[in-house]
Amino acid sequence: MNYYSKLWRVTSNAFPNLVPNRYRELLRLLRVWRLLKLSKWQGFHPGSPEPQKGELVLFCPACPQPGVNIPHSENVDLAETIVMDGNFKVEHMRPKNPVNEVWLMDVMGFMVTMLAYKDYLAGTLNQVEKSDCSNHRAVNQANANRNQLASTGIGGCACAQHGCFVPHAMVDFQKGEQEWHTLHRQELLDFQMNNNNFLKMVQMLALNRKLKNAKEALMPAEEAFAKLDTRIPVQLCEVWAQQEKLALENRGMDPKAMVIFKVQLEKAPTKKSIEMDIISNQESDGLLCGATTWMARVLQAEESQIILAMDARHMQARATETQRLSIARQQDHLNAQLD
């Protein structure tokens, strides 16, 4: 049972079929309520100026925004990190009478301006994307022909750090005959995305605690880094700085330039390879014949002793006979090695 059916039953539980159908009026009321709620949140009233692009919705308060949460200065070395994504399942059918629809908050939310987006689509060539992957689901779904749909999905931008939607940066995907989004769908998406940003803002209270912990750990981290940096040759530091500069300059055109930041560690030699190397060089190093094998056995016995001590320490008081027998066998085997 949906919300309207519940209202129907509450109005007349015995004869709900006699209650007049006010579903259309309810939808209109919901649209007005959403507009009033967003206007109240952002401080707009009948005497204030009209909201501009994206001014009726919320954005990420933690992302750097000149003039909002950081000084409006060119010296501020901060930038927003934006990611783009799409959803091809948020489809919408064509409206029956699009001319009769009245827009309440076009351009004021997350969806782009209807007329500007329509003009952009009219002058844009619809190119079919080809994927190198076999049966790529996302590409195939985007290229599917659906003439009965007004929109075949939705796409937009969000901040990379916290996932908040960017105002006036969401569009409907178009396929075939390029229509534009319907007003009720646009307003509903705007309200839902605004609620998503609001919930993320509420959960950002933990950022204050993280900032406090970061400030406390800043000085020890700087001291540790300075101590490590003094042990590295100056020439090598200069080479690394030059490589970093080139990677940051070329990453826009060549993503492979960032491979320089990947940690490259050589695989450590195994115990067997080390033992073979020592055996082959024991005469030149002045070691007695068999000394290397004897040292390897001593190390193996010591390792077995450590493992036995750990197993005995972790064994509970109510150990089974099988567990106690396993410990006894390990002790007997270790004593045989030592003898």
Side-chain angles (χ1 to χ4, degrees):
M1 179 180 294
N2 55 29
Y3 178 71
Y4 182 72
S5 299
K6 181 66 175 180
L7 292 179
W8 217 339
R9 288 287 182 179
V10 171
T11 304
S12 178
N13 190 28
F15 304 99
N17 58 315
L18 299 180
V19 178
N21 189 349
R22 302 295 187 212
Y23 185 68
R24 184 183 297 272
E25 289 78 2
L26 177 63
L27 294 181
R28 181 178 300 177
L29 180 64
L30 289 176
R31 292 185 58 202
V32 176
W33 175 81
R34 285 196 293 261
L35 177 61
L36 293 177
K37 188 174 182 65
L38 294 178
S39 300
K40 179 182 177 181
W41 275 5
Q42 300 299 333
F44 289 99
H45 54 85
S48 62
E50 288 293 328
Q52 300 302 316
K53 293 182 180 180
E55 289 187 351
L56 276 188
V57 292
L58 303 171
F59 184 48
C60 179
C63 288
Q65 304 174 60
V68 178
N69 53 10
I70 59 175
H72 207 335
S73 174
E74 297 180 356
N75 298 327
V76 179
D77 189 14
L78 296 173
E80 298 177 10
T81 304
I82 303 299
V83 295
M84 294 183 291
D85 200 358
N87 188 334
F88 296 101
K89 294 185 178 180
V90 189
E91 302 171 345
H92 189 67
M93 302 292 293
R94 291 183 179 179
K96 295 182 179 180
N97 300 310
V99 181
N100 298 332
E101 296 184 348
V102 179
W103 297 81
L104 296 182
M105 48 181 297
D106 185 34
V107 79
M108 304 177 189
F110 293 95
M111 306 298 293
V112 299
T113 310
M114 178 192 65
L115 296 178
Y117 186 47
K118 181 182 177 182
D119 295 339
Y120 169 78
L121 292 177
T124 303
L125 179 63
N126 187 15
Q127 297 181 353
V128 179
E129 181 181 359
K130 296 182 179 180
S131 174
D132 297 333
C133 301
S134 176
N135 195 21
H136 195 280
R137 184 175 181 181
V139 176
N140 294 341
Q141 199 168 6
N143 294 330
N145 190 10
R146 300 164 185 167
N147 295 326
Q148 75 279 10
L149 298 178
S151 61
T152 57
I154 186 174
C157 303
C159 68
Q161 288 83 1
H162 313 99
C164 293
F165 295 106
V166 180
H168 204 257
M170 310 295 294
V171 296
D172 276 330
F173 290 145
Q174 308 295 325
K175 179 66 179 176
E177 296 183 9
Q178 295 179 341
E179 301 284 344
W180 57 90
H181 37 253
T182 58
L183 55 90
H184 182 70
R185 178 174 184 267
Q186 172 186 339
E187 295 168 1
L188 182 60
L189 290 174
D190 284 338
F191 191 80
Q192 294 295 335
M193 287 185 285
N194 188 73
N195 183 66
N196 175 80
N197 285 7
F198 173 75
L199 295 178
K200 290 183 179 296
M201 289 174 58
V202 175
Q203 297 173 0
M204 286 182 186
L205 296 176
L207 293 178
N208 189 19
R209 173 177 52 82
K210 293 181 179 180
L211 178 61
K212 182 179 179 181
N213 296 337
K215 289 182 177 180
E216 294 177 354
L218 178 60
M219 185 174 295
E222 289 180 345
E223 294 177 355
F225 178 79
K227 185 177 180 180
L228 177 64
D229 191 49
T230 54
R231 300 179 180 179
I232 300 176
V234 179
Q235 296 81 1
L236 185 58
C237 290
E238 294 177 354
V239 172
W240 287 350
Q242 185 65 22
Q243 291 177 346
E244 178 189 13
K245 182 180 179 181
L246 292 176
L248 295 178
E249 290 177 353
N250 300 328
R251 64 177 181 175
M253 302 299 296
D254 184 15
K256 293 183 179 180
M258 301 296 291
V259 178
I260 193 65
F261 294 106
K262 185 178 180 180
V263 179
Q264 301 176 2
L265 298 177
E266 296 182 359
K267 189 176 181 180
T270 61
K271 293 189 296 183
K272 294 181 179 180
S273 62
I274 295 176
E275 184 178 354
M276 292 176 58
D277 184 62
I278 296 176
I279 291 176
S280 60
N281 298 325
Q282 63 182 358
E283 294 183 0
S284 60
D285 294 339
L287 298 177
L288 297 177
C289 183
T292 303
T293 305
W294 179 81
M295 287 189 296
R297 291 180 178 178
V298 171
L299 292 175
Q300 184 178 4
E302 185 178 2
E303 183 179 353
S304 301
Q305 187 178 8
I306 295 174
I307 295 175
L308 177 60
M310 293 176 59
D311 293 342
R313 191 182 307 113
H314 294 160
M315 189 174 62
Q316 300 178 359
R318 297 182 179 180
T320 62
E321 292 184 353
T322 304
Q323 293 175 339
R324 290 197 296 268
L325 178 60
S326 176
I327 295 296
R329 287 177 176 176
Q330 293 182 36
Q331 290 177 343
D332 185 62
H333 181 70
L334 180 60
N335 292 331
Q337 287 182 336
L338 296 177
D339 293 340

